C-alpha cells in the first residue's frame, strides 16, 4: 500500500520501492539572465556543434552574393574556416566558383545559380540562411549592368528579399568616400561609382534598417584591382607613369582584403554591430606618389630600370588612352584602365573619427610594408631570376603621413 507524505515541502509517494518524487520546487531561477538570447531556429540541424574549426558547425548559414569576385573568396574562406555553411550564388559558369568548394568541410559549401534581376532565384539562395552578405559590385558600367542597376536597385532587391525571408543579419559592402555629389577631378560630374554606392547604402537602409554596412578604401590582395592596376604595363606609357598633380594631392589608406574579410566575419558574431557602419581602412595613410614610387621599387623597376613619374595634367594622351581602352574592350578594360578608375584614383580617402573602423571589431590590421612585397611578386622585373641572398637591397618603405 502506498501513501502520500511531505518530504522537504514536496509531495512524495511511498511504496514498496521506496520514495518516488511526484513534484518538487523549482531548483533554478525564474529570472532571465542578461546574457540569455532566445533560440530562433527550430531545426536542430542549425544548432552549433563541435569544438570549432572547419569540421564543426558554427550555427551560421550564410549566403554570399558576389562570392566569385576578388573579395568573395576571402570571405567564404573565413566563414568555412570557422565551420559555417555557405551558399555561393553564381550567375555564370559553375566552374568559376568550384575553387570555393575546398574552403569548407564536406557539404558545407553549396552552390546555386542566380540572376540579380530574378527574385525567385534570390529567394531560393537565401531561403535557409540566417546571414546574407552582399559583395556584388562593378568597377565600370556595362550594357546590361550599369551602376544604378548593380549598386542601387540590385542592393535594394537583395536587402528586401533577405528581410522578407526572415534573415537575421544583412551585411552590405559599400565604398569609402561614397558621396551623393562627388567632387569632379578629371571628368564632369565626378565618380559615378561613388555616387551610386552612396544611394545604394540608402536603398539598403530603407529595406533592411538593421543592415551592417562596410565602407572599404582601396582593397589590395591576390589578383586585386589596386596593386595589379599600377603593376600592369597598360597603366604606364612605356616606362613613364603619369599621376594627376604628380600624386602629391591625393592621400590613400588602403586596406588588406584579409582584414576586411575578418571584419565581416567578426560583425556576424558581434550583437553590437547590428545597424552600424564600419570604415574599412588600413592602419596608415600615404601620399599617392609615395605609394606608387614604392611599388616600383619593390618590383625592381626603379630609376635605373627607366621609371619616371610625371604630372598627368600636361599629357593630353592620358585620358584619350582610357577612352580608347573602353572602346576596344567593353567587357573587361585592359589592366582595369578606364575613365571611372582614373577618376577614383585621385579621390583622397576621408576617414571620419565618429564612425567605427575594423579595429573596433577586433581586427589586427596588416601593414602594407609587410604584405605588399609578396603581392607584387608576379609583377617583379625578372621574376624568374633566382637572386642570391642580399643581391638586391631591400627597397626603402614609403613615407607615412602623420
Amino acid at each position: 500500500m502506498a501513501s502520500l507524505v511531505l518530504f522537504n515541502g514536496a509531495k512524495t509517494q511511498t511504496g514498496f520501492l521506496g520514495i518516488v518524487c511526484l513534484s518538487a520546487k523549482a531548483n533554478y531561477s525564474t529570472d532571465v539572465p542578461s546574457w540569455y538570447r532566445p533560440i530562433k531556429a527550430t531545426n536542430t540541424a542549425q544548432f552549433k556543434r563541435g569544438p570549432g574549426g572547419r569540421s564543426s558547425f558554427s550555427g551560421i548559414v550564410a549566403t554570399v552574393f558576389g562570392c566569385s569576385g576578388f573579395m568573395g573568396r576571402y570571405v567564404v574562406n573565413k566563414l568555412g574556416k570557422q565551420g559555417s555553411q555557405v551558399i555561393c550564388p553564381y550567375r555564370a559558369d559553375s566552374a568559376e566558383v568550384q575553387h570555393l568548394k575546398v574552403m569548407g568541410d564536406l557539404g558545407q559549401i553549396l552552390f546555386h545559380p542566380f540572376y540579380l534581376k530574378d527574385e525567385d532565384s534570390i529567394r531560393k539562395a537565401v531561403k535557409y540562411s540566417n546571414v546574407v552578405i552582399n559583395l556584388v559590385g562593378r568597377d565600370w558600367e556595362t550594357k546590361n549592368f550599369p551602376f544604378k542597376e548593380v549598386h542601387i536597385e540590385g542592393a535594394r532587391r537583395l536587402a528586401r528579399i533577405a528581410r522578407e525571408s526572415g534573415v537575421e543579419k544583412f551585411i552590405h559592402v559599400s565604398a569609402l568616400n561614397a558621396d551623393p555629389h562627388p567632387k569632379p577631378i578629371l571628368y564632369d560630374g565626378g565618380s559615378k561609382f561613388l555616387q551610386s554606392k552612396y544611394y545604394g547604402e540608402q536603398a539598403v537602409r530603407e529595406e533592411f534598417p538593421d543592415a551592417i554596412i562596410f565602407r572599404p578604401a582601396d582593397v589590395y590582395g591576390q589578383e586585386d584591382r589596386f596593386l595589379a592596376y599600377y603593376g600592369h604595363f597598360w597603366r604606364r606609357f612605356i616606362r613613364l607613369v603619369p599621376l594627376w598633380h604628380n600624386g602629391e594631392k591625393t592621400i590613400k589608406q588602403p586596406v588588406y582584403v584579409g582584414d576586411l574579410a575578418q571584419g565581416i566575419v567578426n560583425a556576424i558574431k558581434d550583437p553590437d554591430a547590428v545597424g552600424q557602419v564600419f570604415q574599412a581602412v588600413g592602419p596608415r595613410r600615404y601620399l599617392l606618389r609615395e605609394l606608387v614610387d614604392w611599388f616600383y621599387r619593390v618590383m625592381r623597376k626603379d630609376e635605373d630600370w627607366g621609371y619616371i613619374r610625371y604630372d598627368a595634367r600636361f599629357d593630353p594622351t592620358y585620358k584619350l588612352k582610357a577612352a580608347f581602352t573602353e572602346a576596344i574592350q567593353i567587357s573587361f578594360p585592359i589592366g582595369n584602365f578606364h575613365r571611372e578608375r582614373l577618376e577614383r584614383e585621385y579621390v583622397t580617402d576621408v576617414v571620419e573619427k565618429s564612425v567605427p573602423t575594423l579595429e573596433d571589431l577586433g581586427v589586427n590590421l596588416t601593414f602594407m610594408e609587410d604584405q605588399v612585397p609578396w603581392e607584387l611578386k608576379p609583377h617583379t622585373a625578372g621574376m624568374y631570376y633566382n637572386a642570391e641572398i642580399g643581391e638586391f637591397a631591400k627597397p626603402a618603405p614609403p613615407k607615412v603621413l602623420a
Side-chain angles (χ1 to χ4, degrees), residues 235-246:
R235 172 60 181 79
R236 58 181 184 265
F237 286 68
I238 306 177
R239 299 190 178 185
L240 311 179
V241 179
L243 292 178
W244 197 253
H245 283 280
N246 226 344

Side-chain angles (χ1 to χ4, degrees), residues 18 55 58 73 102 104 124 174 176 183 196 221 228 261 274 278 303 328 345-346 362 364 375 380 389 396:
S55 296
S58 64
R73 73 192 73 173
V102 297
K124 292 178 181 178
S174 181
L176 194 70
K183 180 182 177 181
S196 63
V274 174
F278 295 94
E303 290 81 1
I328 63 173
E345 181 178 356
Y346 305 112
N364 295 321
E375 307 294 350
T380 302
I389 297 178

